Amino acid sequence: MQDLLDSALQRIQASATAEELEAVRVEVLGRKGVLAQLSKDMGKLTAEERAARGKFINTAKQSLEGAYEALKSRFESDALAKRLDSEWLDLTVPSSSAPLPATGPGSLHPITQIQWEIEDLFRSLGFSVLDGPEVETEHHNFDALNIPPDHPARDMQDTFWLEGHHLLRTHTSPVQVRGMEKLGPPLRMIAPGRVFRNESVDASHEHTFYQLEGMMIDRNVSVGNLTFFMKTLLSEIFKREVTVRLRPGFFPFVEPGFELDIECLICGGSGCPVCKQSGWVELLPCGLVNPHVLRMSGIDPNEWNGFAFGLGLTRLVMMRYAIDDIRWLQSGDLRFLRQF
Ligand code: DAH
């Protein structure tokens, strides 16, 4: 009996292919196989012998099936490996049929370039770069900046209104509010981003453009601090010393509010068409944060104060490269973009 079992096991293990194994399985484990033979004369055995035979048959069945399953799964995994091998694809092989377009690689948009430069500068001065949503709430875009409903300042910013007191942000100032709410004082932050105004488009107006908002909140912040940071910013951008002056300007979220002008970089202040003969170019609205704005965002104005500024990135790029039509910037025109 043991011999019979051993030779059956050997036959299974000697199978070289899945097909051969299957044929052996039918022969060995099938209706006419070894196990069937072993059970055939069971009737003639004594009760004791029958019990012993039964036990033997069970173990034999287990070892034969075990050997069969083991070999079968080895054939299967071999087959799978072979298939995967044949399906392997080298995605890094350059295609001979689709060469790179003649335009070559692209470059950064001039607005992105200037934005990244300013981000680097302010990071080095300890400012965080924050992001805010383009779809804003009326609260963040207006109310929390001290521009309540019916305030005339709302009319200065023609707004794309959305449903449910939402809107496309008209400036990056709402990110100030989010910064104050989230981080609290002391705070140094800038927030570059896209803003939207419901304007008719011409050479100097776009419905979509870029701004960069800045804010610093600390103890005893002065107009001197504000001027220092603005001069540092502008010298860095224009790569030379700039002379600045402050004029009063009105924005509900700052008090006092200023318009910061720089001495015209084209004529050096003597007067030319770019500065409309005045020697000065208006560049940057700013001011000391209105205590009411601090209070609305949960900051105690008796302990903290700060400055804020709003830089028109699109405007700045136009000045830097003497671009005379704002529509170029979003035109996607390669003749324009290739110059940067
Ligand atoms: N948010 C203003 C605008 O788009 C610009 C501005 C003015 C921002 C004064 C400021 C600021 O932070 O202090 O018209």
Side-chain angles (χ1 to χ4, degrees), residues 156-157 170-173 176 197 209 211 213-214 251 253-254 258 285-288 307-311:
M156 284 157 48
Q157 304 192 350
T170 55
H171 49 179
T172 41
S173 302
Q176 282 186 16
R197 303 260 173 108
F209 52 99
Q211 286 187 340
E213 187 76 16
F251 306 93
F253 34 95
V254 281
F258 304 108
C286 53
L288 295 185
F307 66 72
F309 62 93
L311 187 62

Side-chain angles (χ1 to χ4, degrees), residues 230-279:
M230 298 305 94
K231 277 190 80 159
T232 309
L233 164 67
L234 297 171
S235 310
E236 181 76 14
I237 292 169
F238 293 110
K239 309 283 181 234
R240 58 179 122 153
E241 272 295 304
V242 294
T243 311
V244 304
R245 74 172 184 192
L246 294 176
R247 282 180 297 118
F250 175 73
F251 306 93
F253 34 95
V254 281
E255 178 58 40
F258 304 108
E259 290 286 356
L260 185 143
D261 301 338
I262 58 169
E263 201 172 66
C264 182
L265 296 170
I266 311 290
C267 62
S270 58
C272 72
V274 170
C275 59
K276 301 191 187 89
Q277 308 305 330
S278 73

Side-chain angles (χ1 to χ4, degrees), residues 147-163:
I147 316 175
D150 304 326
H151 192 288
R154 284 209 182 184
D155 297 339
M156 284 157 48
Q157 304 192 350
D158 295 311
T159 308
F160 288 112
W161 286 96
L162 307 171
E163 284 171 7

Side-chain angles (χ1 to χ4, degrees), residues 113-129 188 190 212 228-239 309 311 316:
Q113 288 180 27
I114 213 165
Q115 178 186 323
W116 287 9
E117 279 173 39
I118 299 174
E119 285 180 10
D120 282 348
L121 168 70
F122 274 102
R123 272 201 200 91
S124 78
L125 296 169
F127 284 63
S128 311
V129 180
R188 291 182 184 205
I190 56 165
L212 185 138
F228 165 78
F229 279 103
M230 298 305 94
K231 277 190 80 159
T232 309
L233 164 67
L234 297 171
S235 310
E236 181 76 14
I237 292 169
F238 293 110
K239 309 283 181 234
F309 62 93
L311 187 62
L316 203 58

Side-chain angles (χ1 to χ4, degrees), residues 306-322:
F307 66 72
F309 62 93
L311 187 62
L313 282 185
T314 304
R315 180 99 189 285
L316 203 58
V317 167
M318 291 176 72
M319 278 196 54
R320 189 193 225 184
Y321 298 108

